[in-house]
Amino acid sequence: NEATEAASSDNIMVQYHAIGVLYHIKKNDRLGVSKLVSKFTKQSLRSPYAYCLLIRIATKLLEEESEGRDSPLFDFIESCLRHKSELVIYEAAHAIVNMPNTSARELGPAISVLQLFCSSPKPTLRFAAVRTLNKVAMKHPAAVAACNLDLENLITDVNRSIATLAITTLLKTGSESSVDRLMKQISTFMSEISD
């Protein structure tokens, strides 16, 4: 059919929308969705948006199935952490850290990627990384503690949202001595913030 043909288009938006249409056609057919994801995870797609959509669909399938982390779907999501597009890398990291019952070992590669994003020259990537790390720190503070040095560098970020998230994340992951040091560092920051 036309949507299947469009999924192999060179245009990234056409490819993304074609996969979206195919998913919505088959979304009530679990086997059909599994075959769809299986087919496109084996293909090399041009569209980073299509990869993001596949990551979301694969995550949804993983939550519903019992195989868990031994599934080829999890392997696909983890392989997307090495994609050339930052959008796809972030989507994969976000999917992994938001999966229920993930172990520290499974979180490791995703947290490493987020740690790299903390030192990105792009404010959007820094914000996305620190916001995601902040959420992860609620359940897995020890896993995020490895990023504390990078987070401390973000305290002085020109973007106040990034700086604030870095501070709250550090407060969740730090030890008593590092929190004392952090309180001294942020006293100047607090005076600069308006009510």
Side-chain angles (χ1 to χ4, degrees):
N1 70 31
E2 286 180 44
T4 308
E5 287 174 33
S8 52
S9 170
D10 287 341
N11 184 314
I12 60 173
M13 290 311 284
V14 170
Q15 192 175 55
Y16 164 70
H17 284 97
I19 292 173
V21 166
L22 287 169
Y23 170 68
H24 281 290
I25 290 170
K26 299 178 182 195
K27 71 179 176 186
N28 294 324
D29 173 15
R30 183 153 164 47
L31 183 63
V33 172
S34 290
K35 285 181 179 177
L36 176 83
V37 172
S38 174
K39 175 184 174 184
F40 288 112
T41 55
K42 288 177 177 70
Q43 276 183 284
S44 182
L45 300 170
R46 295 182 71 103
S47 172
Y49 308 113
Y51 270 106
C52 289
L53 181 60
L54 280 177
I55 290 168
R56 289 181 182 189
I57 297 168
T59 303
K60 192 174 181 181
L61 286 173
L62 268 175
E63 289 172 3
E64 294 169 1
E65 72 180 27
S66 58
E67 284 182 57
R69 310 303 177 257
D70 299 328
S71 167
L73 293 175
F74 186 79
D75 295 340
F76 164 71
I77 295 169
E78 202 169 44
S79 74
C80 288
L81 291 171
R82 296 176 290 283
H83 196 270
K84 64 181 181 228
S85 168
E86 293 166 336
L87 181 70
V88 175
I89 294 168
Y90 175 74
E91 189 67 39
H94 184 265
I96 290 170
V97 300
N98 285 309
M99 284 180 191
N101 306 320
T102 45
S103 68
R105 188 187 64 75
E106 293 160 348
L107 287 174
I111 288 178
S112 296
V113 164
L114 294 170
Q115 185 175 9
L116 288 173
F117 282 179
C118 284
S119 55
S120 170
K122 298 177 183 174
T124 50
L125 280 180
R126 289 195 311 269
F127 178 79
V130 76
R131 182 170 181 257
T132 306
L133 287 170
N134 189 303
K135 287 182 180 176
V136 176
M138 298 281 216
K139 288 185 181 175
H140 304 280
V144 179
C147 305
N148 281 1
L149 197 64
D150 296 282
L151 291 168
E152 282 182 32
N153 294 334
L154 292 177
I155 293 173
T156 56
D157 197 279
V158 291
N159 185 319
R160 287 292 168 216
S161 298
I162 293 172
T164 305
L165 280 168
I167 290 167
T168 57
T169 307
L170 284 165
L171 290 171
K172 292 173 190 171
T173 62
S175 63
E176 189 177 332
S177 60
S178 64
V179 170
D180 286 339
R181 187 169 36 92
L182 184 62
M183 293 309 284
K184 290 175 185 139
Q185 267 186 292
I186 63 174
S187 59
T188 55
F189 173 79
M190 297 305 278
S191 62
E192 293 170 13
I193 297 179
S194 62
D195 292 331

